[in-house]
Amino acid sequence: MSFMLQGTGVSGGIAIGRAHLISHAHLDVSHYTVPQKMIPAEIARFESAVAATREELEELRDSIPHDSPAEFGAFLDLHLMILADSTLSDAPRKIIESQHCNAEWALKQQMTYLLAQFDKIEDSYLRERKADVVQVVERVLKTLLGQRQQGKEQGSILVAHDLSPADVLLLKELQCSAFITDLGGTTSHTTIVARSLNIPSIVALHNARRLIRDNDLLIIDGTRGAVIVDPDKSVLAEYKLLQDQWELGKQKLKRIKSSRSTTLDGTHIHLHANIELPQDIKQVKESGASGIGLFRSEFLFLNRDELPGEDEQFEFYREVVQEMKGLPVTIRTLDLGADKHLRGAARMSANPALGLRAIRLCLAEPQVFRTQLRAILRASHYGKLRILIPMLSSASELNQTILLLEQAKQSLDADNIPYDGAVEVGGMVEVPAAALALPMFMQKLDFLSIGTNDLIQYTLAIDRADDSVSHLYDPLHPAVLHLVSHVIRSANQAGVPVAVCGEMAGDVELTRMLLGFGLREFSMHPSNLLTVKQQVIKSNISEIAPITQKMLKTDEPEKIRGLLNRLNA
Ligand code: PEP
Ligand code: MG
């Protein structure tokens, strides 16, 4: 029977394909029946996942530098032992055979059983090894999940309940045609990474994971936020037509890739791209972006057990800088905390978005920060690199950052390693305190970038990742408009370059409003760039500005909306 689900569209376009239910590797493992004749294949799948995990652990152990502390190797040996034990490597096979279930489910059941046994152990050392068992099982589950995903036909539609940004990162390699989730706010990091998969995406569907079954035929309308399950023939035909039209529109847009991004009245507008990983550069080039306005460096730190060292980080940053061939690359220093965590990190804070996040975390862990600063500085030698500091709220944070950067430069001088001595340092304006005390930051910074995702979250007290309050998350709230326009105007007056790199910059409905506020640099996901460019080319700032001034003079949401419609008419 056909039915429809409504959520929030976060990436436009239409996809038609079969549902592929995915799960958080540990918490939400899928369960399905395996037919008798497929049991040997399912057991083989389990065995090959165990073998692949063993190889992965052995490789990790062999790659440990000789001078590392002995515990590193010991911990990997322990995990290899746990994996080899028949309670993990053999018992799940028997469960698959007797219960006719999938390998993930068998493994999860066995893990639950083992953990219960651990609880009975009196010896506290042994009892604490519970966490190691969970980590080993998670590794095998991830491998199984990867196998299943690779085995899926191209074009399937991923259906998930909730995923962390780190989980979505793992899906980047997949050839799926759409992505939908039950939870998630429109500017959560999970959504932002899902958007960078560059396929129609919908969040906040609430019951999709429960109501949709593996292999159901789905239509995803990312623009309207609608999912049609098991559509009838006429609906399917209509959507196929719409899909063709959408594709045609996208092809047409490519024609303006190398046009200059200049308004009708001759103002040049810089259109930069946001990325998470070096592999995103391909899409950046296809979009014709004139630089990278936000490189979210923390994504290198997710989905791994150890922090990346200086050399690995250096190669990661250098690759991007070299690939961009002299165009500016703005590397944001680590923004961990809130919804992005290191594997295994304790999540103690009651309000993680207000806790030890971003620059606060870096200053609390100066050794980690120093390593990153040295790696970024080293990469600055290979192109045009700029450093961006996230979540600044006080002068002391900025002063400490500048001091650590100076120390990093001195240590590179002492080691005779080259870097760009004039590397520019900018700050993100994403805490209202920074927006309201701007001169304090502008005196010491070379440029500013407004992170509207967090600025809205912190101004309106709306958790950007919580779909239950996402109806209150409002970029057009008068308080938000005042803060954004105030920062742009103040920076322009002081001659400090200012960009917007939050999701507002990629929302074509808001392009003209931001131009009217005086914004000349936008940084956004590359898939939005040509649409925004088309709008820039068709805009006349002298006609826009009087309307945006009126928007700032009213506090009535309906009037603001009406004026925005006039701007876009
Ligand atoms: C922002 O807050 O607007 C921003 C660009 O940073 P992030 O989305 O990574 O928090
Ligand atoms: Mg932010």
Side-chain angles (χ1 to χ4, degrees), residues 255-267:
R255 292 190 203 145
I256 59 166
K257 178 184 153 188
S258 32
S259 322
R260 273 178 63 77
S261 147
T262 307
T263 61
L264 285 174
D265 44 357
T267 305

Side-chain angles (χ1 to χ4, degrees), residues 542-556:
S542 58
E543 285 172 9
I544 291 171
I547 305 178
T548 52
Q549 285 317 306
K550 282 193 187 148
M551 289 177 93
L552 293 170
K553 288 204 178 99
T554 175
D555 285 336
E556 289 176 47

Side-chain angles (χ1 to χ4, degrees), residues 68-80:
S68 303
E71 307 87 80
F72 283 10
F75 141 85
L76 288 167
D77 282 335
L78 174 68
H79 282 204
L80 277 161

